[in-house]
Amino acid sequence: MDLDRWLHEATLTVRQWSDGFGPYQPHSALDVADEDFAPAFAEFAERLRDNYPFFHPRYAGQMLKPPHPAAVVGYLTAMLINPNNHALDGGPATAAMEREAVAQLAAMFGFDTHLGHLTTSGTIANLEALFVARESHPGLGVAYSAEAHYTHGRMCGVLGVEGHPVPADGSGRIDLQALEAVLATGRVGTVVLTTGTTGLGAVDPVHEALPLCRRYGARIHLDAAYGGFFTLLAGADGPEGLPPQPWRAVAQCDSVVVDPHKHGLQPYGCGAVLFRDPDVGRFYLHDSPYTYFTSTDLHLGEISLECSRAGASAAALWLTFRLLPPTLQGLGRVLAAGRRAALTWAELIDGSDALTLYQQPELDIVGYFPAVEPAALSAIDEASARVLAQGMTAPDPVFLSTLRASADAFAHRHPAVRRDTDGARILRSVLMKPESEQHVHQLHTQVEKLL
Ligand SMILES: *Cc1c(COP(=O)(O)O)cnc(C)c1O
């Protein structure tokens, strides 16, 4: 699609709508002359150049990429009106879009009932899920894998509940035996599972953890902030297809978090939390003397901890889903390309003398490190940091990221590496752009050249 054309259409559309309310005089206090705007904008544009090229396949670092043009147009058009999805009084159209987009997410996970909403981020979405967990299992703690996002331990502190980190196994998945031992203490009311850890995209065995948690009466929260949309590839044909069992079990979890601003093609400011039991809405009960006037229907602010939220985020997601719905043939094709890119790169690294694969990628995140001789943690750490820095300043630059692996985690996977410090940075590439698929051989060559 022609972004320039549709950005123009965005301003026209909103102007036509505004014109329907009759003329009025804009206040002179807000006047800015084009002659004054021009130098300010020039300075602004110059400052924005200080960025990494997230859009380009040579950027193979962290979880960053620009939104889809459909999301940009949806966001900007709605932003010109600036609805607030807190209440139907603040943005009836975008509140309805939010409910529809959230229903599509619920359907994607196989929830037959749901209550949910968008949030500003995965962090806030997880906070809400843990808040509901605390309210429904008062006095009990929360268990999460050592590889879970740091937010879980932190939010346990915020919520005043006891956090129980559970060791991960040699693939970065929650260790079920260790989980059972924690559950057996009787102090855990909720277990957090992760499908797609932030570090390496490891997928916890939801289908195996589920019966275990149920046996101990524990609630299950699934943090699928990064990996959630990969459920579209569960059982799919071709190399990108994922083992379906953990994803099929998601429908039985009590709550799920997914970040459309990661794999849903959205700009930042778009997370989502879904509860399987709509009845948990009772934990959010509050009185707002300022809002909730125009309708007796449910206002999204009545079921969220945040108050003001961008209606534009819902607009962007809704419009994107109209064109690239959360189905295998829609958004699934985008994820499949990244998944295939990760598999191809893993194969290239496996056949390389210069690089070693840290572990086989489960989604689209590849972990690897320079094959130093003699292999020791301190040398791997130093070489990874050097490749990261040199990659960015090379004449033909490549942008990677690093991940710190503990000595224990390393020993699980590479027992021959000498343990001369308590851990090492490895290289990490998140291949979340479909363009990575065509670029992966080039990436591999570029990285090899840095060694
Ligand atoms: C990114 C991420 C989060 C945090 O989400 P934000 O949107 O960055 O706040 C939480 N959990 C997992 C697994 C993530 O990948």
Side-chain angles (χ1 to χ4, degrees):
M1 55 183 274
D2 177 355
L3 184 59
D4 293 343
R5 172 184 163 191
W6 293 105
L7 287 180
H8 183 59
E9 201 69 37
T11 51
L12 287 182
T13 299
V14 175
R15 195 169 308 143
Q16 272 168 11
W17 172 76
S18 318
D19 284 349
F21 295 94
Y24 70 101
Q25 195 59 48
H27 197 279
S28 62
L30 299 172
D31 277 356
V32 170
D34 281 330
E35 305 84 82
D36 296 329
F37 189 71
F41 188 79
E43 183 187 338
F44 166 75
E46 186 54 37
R47 293 187 64 157
L48 273 187
R49 294 180 64 85
D50 182 18
N51 256 309
Y52 300 103
F54 309 124
F55 67 94
H56 200 286
R58 69 167 74 243
Y59 181 89
Q62 312 203 50
M63 295 168 174
L64 290 155
K65 65 173 178 181
H68 190 277
V72 173
V73 173
Y75 198 101
L76 275 164
T77 311
M79 191 187 68
L80 292 170
I81 301 168
N82 206 22
N84 183 337
N85 271 17
H86 168 68
L88 290 163
D89 316 67
T94 48
M97 290 179 193
E98 176 163 336
R99 295 181 70 160
E100 288 171 35
V102 166
Q104 284 177 283
L105 293 174
M108 175 179 82
F109 289 121
F111 276 24
D112 32 20
T113 55
H114 76 277
L115 184 82
H117 57 275
L118 301 181
T119 61
T120 295
S121 67
T123 300
I124 298 299
N126 275 302
L127 170 66
E128 295 212 12
L130 294 187
F131 158 72
V132 166
R134 184 190 73 181
E135 297 301 295
S136 60
H137 289 67
L140 292 170
V142 175
Y144 43 83
S145 148
E147 294 288 324
H149 195 277
Y150 70 78
T151 193
H152 298 289
R154 205 170 184 213
M155 289 307 176
C156 282
V158 170
L159 291 166
V161 305
E162 202 175 11
H164 300 269
V166 176
D169 68 13
S171 311
R173 304 175 190 153
I174 195 165
D175 183 312
L176 292 177
Q177 255 181 326
L179 175 62
E180 173 142 31
V182 172
L183 285 167
T185 63
R187 284 160 66 180
V188 170
T190 299
V191 172
V192 175
L193 299 172
T194 306
T195 48
T197 57
T198 315
L200 291 165
V203 178
D204 283 343
V206 184
H207 55 300
E208 289 168 10
L210 208 94
L212 181 63
C213 296
R214 294 293 182 234
R215 203 160 354 113
Y216 288 92
R219 186 183 170 82
I220 297 157
H221 168 58
L222 184 75
D223 183 0
Y226 183 71
F229 288 102
F230 277 97
T231 193
L232 299 173
L233 303 184
D237 293 335
E240 66 268 25
L242 300 177
Q245 298 84 351
W247 303 99
R248 301 270 184 267
V250 174
Q252 293 170 61
C253 295
D254 298 292
S255 53
V256 180
V257 159
V258 62
D259 263 357
H261 69 203
K262 283 186 183 145
H263 255 304
L265 308 174
Q266 299 307 296
Y268 284 115
C270 195
V273 61
L274 307 171
F275 299 97
R276 196 160 51 90
D277 176 11
D279 206 35
V280 302
R282 69 186 186 279
F283 297 128
Y284 284 96
L285 263 187
H286 66 283
D287 210 18
S288 168
Y290 328 102
T291 51
Y292 314 144
F293 297 126
T294 51
S295 173
T296 51
D297 287 353
L298 183 76
H299 299 260
L300 290 161
E302 293 181 282
I303 53 156
S304 68
L305 292 183
E306 289 177 273
C307 183
S308 296
R309 249 182 336 97
S313 287
L317 185 60
W318 185 90
L319 188 55
T320 307
F321 278 178
R322 280 273 281 121
L323 299 143
L324 292 159
T327 58
L328 179 59
Q329 285 314 313
L331 196 51
R333 292 178 56 220
V334 179
L335 284 108
R339 169 79 185 130
R340 288 191 300 265
L343 288 172
T344 304
W345 202 0
E347 223 177 286
L348 291 171
I349 293 169
D350 240 356
S352 157
D353 292 334
L355 293 168
T356 306
L357 194 61
Y358 181 68
Q359 70 173 50
Q360 184 62 26
E362 282 194 69
L363 301 179
D364 59 358
I365 305 176
V366 189
Y368 50 101
F369 55 91
V372 291
E373 269 312 328
L377 289 181
S378 58
I380 290 169
D381 180 79
E382 188 271 326
S384 296
R386 183 164 36 80
V387 169
L388 176 82
Q390 287 178 358
M392 291 191 276
T393 52
D396 182 21
V398 58
F399 301 85
L400 311 171
S401 74
T402 57
L403 171 74
R404 195 178 155 73
S406 72
D408 284 342
F410 228 106
H412 263 306
R413 296 155 175 88
H414 302 278
V417 171
R418 197 158 66 83
R419 190 181 177 134
D420 59 346
T421 58
D422 59 357
R425 278 168 290 180
I426 61 166
L427 294 162
R428 165 176 173 266
S429 286
V430 181
L431 302 177
M432 69 191 312
K433 291 185 290 282
E435 292 81 6
S436 299
E437 191 177 14
Q438 286 96 52
H439 204 78
V440 72
H441 285 90
Q442 200 174 324
L443 276 172
H444 183 69
T445 310
Q446 282 179 288
V447 176
E448 276 199 320
K449 266 196 215 144
L450 296 166
L451 293 158

